[in-house]
Amino acid sequence: MGCCIDVGHTARAGADVVQSIREAGPRVFNVHMKDLANFQNKESQVAVGDGAMPIKKIFEALIAIKYQGSVDLEYEIHAADPMPGVIASFAYMRGVLAGMQ
C-alpha cells in the first residue's frame, strides 16, 4: 500500500511536507505539486516558486527516499489562461532540480 503526497493538502493540514515525505519513504507512489502563498488558505495558490512551499527541500527529500515516480503539477488557478503559470511552474521546478546536480 502506498500514498500520494499532495503537498498542498499536507501543508494545509498542518503537517511538515518534507518530514511527511521522509516518513512515508518507499510508500510514496505519487506526488502532487503546487505552491501556496498561505498554508491556511486553499485559495492562495500561486505558480510554483512564488509561494511558501519549500520546493528545494521537497525535491531533496524525494531524492533521499529514492523516489522514482512522477511529480504531477496541480495548477488550479487562472482557468481562462493557465499556460503562463504552468510554464513558469515547470521552469522553476526544472531550475531547482538542475541546481541540485
Side-chain angles (χ1 to χ4, degrees):
M1 177 178 278
C3 67
C4 170
I5 298 282
D6 182 307
V7 300
H9 292 299
T10 303
R12 283 195 314 273
D16 181 310
V17 175
V18 174
Q19 185 62 30
S20 296
I21 291 168
R22 291 183 183 275
E23 288 176 3
R27 296 214 179 267
V28 176
F29 287 5
N30 191 255
V31 176
H32 291 178
M33 180 68 75
K34 68 175 60 163
D35 206 343
L36 300 169
N38 178 331
F39 290 162
Q40 284 72 49
N41 183 356
K42 180 180 180 178
E43 305 305 318
S44 73
Q45 186 178 1
V46 294
V48 175
D50 290 345
M53 200 63 67
I55 305 300
K56 183 177 181 201
K57 291 180 185 282
I58 289 170
F59 283 122
E60 288 171 343
L62 292 170
I63 291 167
I65 66 166
K66 297 178 176 44
Y67 178 67
Q68 297 295 312
S70 62
V71 174
D72 301 325
L73 175 64
E74 280 193 338
Y75 191 79
E76 303 166 317
I77 54 176
H78 308 298
D81 188 22
M83 289 313 293
V86 169
I87 291 167
S89 295
F90 278 118
Y92 183 83
M93 290 187 286
R94 287 181 178 132
V96 168
L97 288 169
M100 294 171 65
Q101 297 178 16

